[in-house]
Amino acid sequence: MMAATVDFVEADNAEAIISRIEHKSRKIESLLKQSRPVEALKTALEGSPPNTRDERCKSANWIVVHRAIMAIKDLDALFSSLDPEYYDILMKYLYRGLSTGDRPTCDQCLRIHERLTERAGLGCILRSLADTMNTV
Amino acid sequence: MAAVAVHQFAPCITCHAWSPDRSMVAFCPNNSEVHIYKLSEDKWEQAHILQKHDQIVSGIDWSSRANRIVTVSHDRNSYVWNYEGSEWVPTLVILRLNRAALCVQWSPQENKFAVGSGAKTVCICYYEQENNWWVSKLIRKRHNSSVTSVAWHPNNILLATTSTDGKCRVFSTFIKGVDTRDSKAGSSSDSKFGEQILQLDLSFSWAFGVNWSPSGNTLAYVGHSSTIYFVDDVGPSPLAQNVAFRDLPLRDVLFISEKVVIGVGFDCNPMVFAADESGMWYELCQIPWGEEDVINWSQVWFAVF
């Protein structure tokens, strides 16, 4: 549950977003090498560009988030340290993962989805379904 | 907190309204009729059946002072019922709609009522003494989709609406001859009928259930994304808060005081929200209720009071 004042951020141009994503990707690789998958996931989820319509940006960010999601092994550790403000955006990416149809991705996403729903409730799922403007 | 009383009137109730002294309740049992039940010695007895509409009655409101009932239906009509002798006598109100009427509310002074419709319009109806009938004035602009809920500000002029286009809007419904101009300059009575005062773009999905706080300073409405929106200091620079919660979306809200709001919806338990001293709204608790969805707030009110 979160309460926040309404704040709309102007979307930068696509090139700036993609270079930021590449920068994020390098940081995530280094975090994964240090066996810090939860931090890697947080970094991947931060600054997700929902305000752009550009599919390339969304796909680029998805690749980075997907990498971090697949690296998660310990779900208890994930949920004990992931802040609630990430729940909604993570749920949106889980549904994107489920829509790929790729077996390992779907298995991992379902596993995380079960625990995330326990933590965040059905409202979290509703928010990822009902929001047609800020899609990932 | 548990239910004070539970009574099953019908398998499904689409809308309802309490009488001014709360001894009677009028509701639509998911057909084209309105049933009025009276509470006598702890038992509910059927007192009247109002049969005039052709389709489901989607909104009922019972005015407290004049003891009049207004009903609106999917058949695009509205009736104002007056209690004469021992019968409820209907008066047809021509709303001029080409789609279903979805919601209705009497204004605080009960000289007007507002109807939200699927025709993307809001009808403001007032009584014309000379012709002895209710006239409907339409607000046609602005809404991009069905108007799901309407709520009057205590000043009898401002009206808030929510729509399935996700927005909550506040309009002026000033009508010459019905409302009086405020002598203060820059007050809401300066605006013309149908002028949009404010549009809130807080929700990205359908918006339902809007309600003003008793003073008219705060507005609350719900979105289908399991979020409730609070707007303080409604005016040129409003302060908005989103409160996202765990459960299924809400459909209607009620301010039971300046700082406490009850929401009801697809989850079977009404939710209570409160504002702390700094003005931040948060979810306080749930009221354990029962198995059926609670779509309208008044069923909860009977339990709380």
Side-chain angles (χ1 to χ4, degrees), chain B residues 171-223:
Chain B
F171 292 92
S172 164
T173 64
F174 184 87
I175 299 178
K176 233 170 61 165
V178 177
D179 297 303
T180 48
R181 284 228 179 265
D182 217 336
S183 50
K184 291 197 304 275
S187 66
S188 54
S189 56
D190 276 354
S191 356
K192 292 187 348 221
F193 178 86
E195 187 181 315
Q196 181 180 285
I197 309 291
L198 183 66
Q199 177 171 302
L200 298 164
D201 296 321
L202 303 171
S203 172
F204 297 115
S205 53
W206 299 338
F208 297 103
V210 63
N211 205 247
W212 294 89
S213 66
S215 69
N217 188 51
T218 308
L219 194 61
Y221 70 103
V222 291

Side-chain angles (χ1 to χ4, degrees), chain B residues 5-70:
Chain B
V6 181
H7 185 93
Q8 176 116 23
F9 287 111
C12 179
I13 293 178
T14 50
C15 56
H16 71 290
W18 290 94
S19 68
D21 60 0
R22 312 282 180 243
S23 66
M24 294 193 278
V25 65
F27 62 86
C28 170
N30 203 30
N31 58 18
S32 59
E33 298 171 346
V34 174
H35 293 196
I36 299 184
Y37 275 68
K38 193 176 173 57
L39 183 65
S40 50
E41 293 151 13
D42 282 346
K43 272 191 4 198
W44 288 95
E45 284 162 5
Q46 187 170 81
H48 302 98
I49 297 185
L50 311 181
Q51 291 165 308
K52 251 328 190 155
H53 286 290
D54 303 317
Q55 289 179 41
I56 286 187
V57 179
S58 47
I60 306 179
D61 200 15
W62 200 322
S63 71
S64 351
R65 277 172 281 176
N67 197 38
R68 281 196 289 245
I69 296 179
V70 62

